[in-house]
Amino acid sequence: MTARPLASMSVDLDNLWAYLKTHGDPGWQRYPSFLSSAVPRLLEILGEHGLTTTVFAVGADVVREDGAKAVNEISAAGHEIGNHSFGHEPWLHRYSRTRLEDELGRTEEAIITAGAPLPVGFRGPGFSVTRELVEVLAERGYAYDASTLPTWVGPLARAYHNRTAPPRTDDDGRDELFGGFSRVLAPVHPYRWRTADGSALVELPVTTMPLFRTPIHGSYLLQLHEISPRLARGYFKTALRLCRVRGVSPSLLLHPTDVLGGTEAPGMEFFPGMAAPGTRKVAWLGWVLAALRAHFDVVGTGEYVRRRDPRRERAVTRLDSGR
Ligand SMILES: [Zn+2]
C-alpha cells in the first residue's frame, strides 16, 4: 500500500481586537476577545476529524489570561503552536530589525509561559515577508515561515484581513506586501530561503488553486458557500483534484471566524461571511475537512515541513527574485 499524499493545515488565531485594529476601529484597544467561544469549537471539530494542526498565536493575546489558556489547551490537545507576531500589524515589513526581534521574542516568551513548546514556525500578519524577517527567523532557530500567499488576486489578498490600513502613498513599499512574492510566478510548492550566512529556512506557502492561483483558504470558501453551496463544493473539489494532478500538497488556512456567528464577534459586521450563523459555518467546515481528508493525510504545518520530501525543492537566495 502506497502512502497517501500529505496536506497541511493551520489556524491563524486572529482575535476580535486584531480585526478591529486592522479595520481602524478604536474599540480594539480594549482587546475584545472571542477566543473563549472560538477555541473550544475549533478543538471540537479538529477532534471529531482526528486532526492535529498548527495554530499561529498572537503574542498580545497569549500574555492575556484567555489567550494563555487557549494556547495551553490547544497545545495540550497535541497541536503545534506557531508565532503570529506580537501586535498583529500587517505592516510588519516596515519594522526595523530590533523591532522584529522584539515582536518574535515577546511572543515566544508568552507561548512558553503559557505551557507550550518554543515555536519553530512563523506566519506574518497580512502575508508580509522580507529579507530581514527571514534572516531573523533563521537566526532564532525557526524551521519554517508560512507567510506567503501565491496569488495574482492582489486586491483580494489585500482585502484578506479586510484591512483599511493607514493611508499610504504610491511609493510607500506596499509592493513589498503583495508584489513580487505573490505574483503568479511565486511558487506554490514549499521552497528554501538561503540567507547571507548560509542558513536555510523553509517557506511553506498558503496554497492557492493550482494553475488559477485563486484563494482556497477557509474564509474564501465560506464566502463562496454563502453565494452557493454547490459552487463552493465544486470549487474546492476542483482545487483538490488540481493539487493531486499537479503534485501540490495543499496547505489549508483557517481562522476563528470560520466557526463563529455574527453575534459572537460584535463589531465585525464589516467582515465577509459574518452574517452566516456559526452552526452553518461549522457544518461547512466539516465538509471541507472531510473532502481534504478523503485524499490526503492532513498534518500541521510544522509536521508537514518535517515529513516533506525536499528533493525537488527550489532554493531561493534572493527574496526579491521574480520581480
Ligand atoms: Zn492574522
Side-chain angles (χ1 to χ4, degrees):
M1 192 179 133
T2 53
R4 295 186 338 143
L6 269 187
S8 60
M9 64 176 288
S10 58
V11 180
D12 285 359
L13 205 60
D14 297 349
N15 204 348
L16 178 55
W17 64 265
Y19 287 97
L20 300 181
K21 180 180 183 179
T22 305
H23 194 242
D25 183 337
W28 78 266
Q29 291 171 19
R30 292 190 299 275
Y31 286 91
S33 172
F34 52 38
L35 297 185
S36 61
S37 310
V39 171
R41 204 166 300 165
L42 282 167
L43 287 177
E44 191 184 342
I45 192 165
L46 291 169
E48 279 168 10
H49 285 265
L51 291 168
T52 47
T53 189
T54 299
V55 176
F56 290 94
V58 177
D61 277 314
V62 191
V63 292
R64 303 171 72 80
E65 204 181 325
D66 66 336
K69 183 171 176 277
V71 161
N72 185 279
E73 287 171 359
I74 293 164
S75 180
H79 306 286
E80 176 192 13
I81 301 291
N83 187 333
H84 194 35
S85 84
F86 190 88
H88 201 274
E89 298 193 330
W91 41 95
L92 206 67
H93 60 290
R94 293 170 164 189
Y95 282 14
S96 68
R97 192 181 185 91
T98 315
R99 191 153 176 213
L100 278 177
E101 283 172 350
D102 184 61
E103 278 279 314
L104 294 168
R106 287 164 75 196
T107 307
E108 289 160 9
E109 209 181 300
I111 288 171
I112 290 171
T113 305
L118 181 69
V120 297
F122 178 80
R123 174 171 291 135
F127 303 108
S128 54
V129 65
T130 61
R131 183 193 315 268
E132 203 142 58
L133 174 64
V134 169
E135 284 173 4
V136 172
L137 289 171
E139 277 168 24
R140 298 182 79 85
Y142 279 73
Y144 70 99
D145 173 76
S147 302
T148 54
L149 180 73
T151 181
W152 54 270
V153 193
L156 261 181
R158 276 191 286 276
Y160 182 64
H161 279 259
N162 204 10
R163 62 173 163 275
T164 44
R168 294 160 182 267
T169 56
D170 281 342
D171 59 348
D172 66 353
R174 169 179 282 213
D175 229 26
E176 291 163 37
L177 260 182
F178 296 105
F181 302 113
S182 44
R183 284 185 189 167
V184 71
L185 292 178
V188 283
H189 293 280
Y191 50 102
R192 269 166 298 161
W193 298 122
R194 251 196 231 123
T195 59
D197 70 355
S199 53
L201 186 83
V202 175
E203 177 66 40
L204 179 62
V206 173
T207 308
T208 49
M209 175 92 85
L211 302 176
F212 299 97
R213 298 295 179 95
T214 47
I216 55 169
H217 51 254
S219 318
Y220 188 79
L221 295 174
L222 181 67
Q223 285 178 57
L224 286 185
H225 186 259
E226 288 304 292
I227 297 165
S228 158
R230 204 173 146 205
L231 170 73
R233 287 194 295 267
Y235 180 82
F236 192 57
K237 278 184 181 169
T238 302
L240 294 180
R241 197 171 301 130
L242 282 173
C243 283
R244 292 201 304 278
V245 170
R246 308 277 300 176
V248 173
S249 295
S251 189
L252 180 72
L253 168 62
L254 304 176
H255 287 87
T257 49
D258 296 338
V259 296
L260 293 178
T263 53
E264 292 162 308
M268 268 190 73
E269 293 75 19
F270 63 88
F271 195 75
M274 288 320 287
T279 45
R280 189 155 81 213
K281 290 183 173 187
V282 168
W284 167 236
L285 180 58
W287 185 91
V288 168
L289 294 179
L292 185 63
R293 285 174 59 222
H295 298 286
F296 295 92
D297 276 344
V298 186
V299 295
T301 46
E303 178 71 10
Y304 176 81
V305 166
R306 276 191 294 278
R307 283 170 55 176
R308 82 200 194 283
D309 179 0
R311 277 176 299 185
R312 284 191 310 160
E313 229 166 65
R314 285 203 318 180
V316 178
T317 49
R318 282 173 60 82
L319 296 189
D320 52 357
S321 59
R323 281 194 172 211

